[in-house]
Amino acid sequence: MNEIKKFKELLKNSTLLLAPLITITVPSISEMFSFLSPDFLIVDMEHSVIDVSLLQEILMASKPLPVIARIRGLEKNEIKKVLDAGVYGIIVPGIESVEEAKQAVSFSKIPPLGVRGVGPGRASKYGYRFNEYVKEANDSIVIVQIETKSAFEKINEIVSVPGLDGCFIGPVDL
């Protein structure tokens, strides 16, 4: 079983997990958090100035912890780049509908499950492990973030989207 599948099982079967939310742009902070052995890290790209290149540095500093990136929004190319950088999965903020949840899944999965392309980034060890990476690419975790009353009212339909691994509620937003 690959590492992402193992982590999915941990998410599915645990009642409590610890995950610091990283907003500080200094990779050493993430490395220090990794010494505390949280269950995983969340890198907040939505409410910080962290971009994909800085995310990659944070990933290297955080090893071997699983990292989930909360991206800026439902944007196909950002999803592809973040996943190719080597995160275990993504949190897509601002999801309002079943259709947007389906897009989040599609943008995260390679054919035939989705429309995502893959490149020789860090996740494939810069192409050295490309064939293995392609076989595991659809294991990436996809979590949607519900932030509005209208989305919350449709939550049962949204979370039933095939390929979706979870839902993150933005209590401050609500």
Side-chain angles (χ1 to χ4, degrees), residues 13-164:
N13 297 318
S14 297
T15 56
L16 178 65
L17 296 172
L18 176 63
L21 182 69
I22 305 297
T23 60
I24 299 171
T25 60
V26 179
S28 300
I29 299 294
S30 299
E31 184 178 33
M32 286 189 287
F33 269 120
S34 74
F35 299 148
L36 299 173
S37 300
D39 297 297
F40 64 107
L41 298 178
I42 298 172
V43 176
D44 187 359
M45 299 173 71
E46 180 189 19
H47 291 290
S48 74
V49 296
I50 297 171
D51 61 10
V52 177
S53 61
L54 186 52
L55 170 68
Q56 185 162 301
E57 291 181 36
I58 290 170
L59 286 164
M60 290 185 280
S62 304
K63 196 171 181 178
L65 285 176
V67 175
I68 302 287
R70 180 165 64 176
I71 60 174
R72 287 173 171 71
L74 183 58
E75 207 285 313
K76 183 178 172 183
N77 286 328
E78 181 168 324
I79 290 171
K80 173 176 39 180
K81 287 178 184 180
V82 167
L83 292 172
D84 281 350
V87 296
Y88 278 49
I90 57 171
I91 298 171
V92 184
I95 296 299
E96 290 288 328
S97 67
V98 168
E99 185 55 41
E100 287 181 346
K102 286 179 181 178
Q103 282 184 316
V105 171
S106 180
F107 294 167
S108 303
K109 308 295 181 188
I110 64 172
L113 300 179
V115 298
R116 175 184 165 218
V118 294
R122 185 174 173 276
S124 70
K125 300 204 181 331
Y126 306 99
Y128 290 105
R129 202 180 148 269
F130 190 78
N131 291 335
E132 293 88 352
Y133 175 58
V134 169
K135 290 176 187 171
E136 299 172 355
N138 284 335
D139 295 334
S140 295
I141 296 164
V142 181
I143 299 169
V144 294
Q145 185 166 336
I146 303 298
E147 303 178 74
T148 65
K149 182 180 177 189
S150 64
F152 190 76
E153 289 169 351
K154 299 176 231 164
I155 197 165
N156 289 330
E157 294 84 20
I158 291 171
V159 298
S160 68
V161 168
L164 195 60

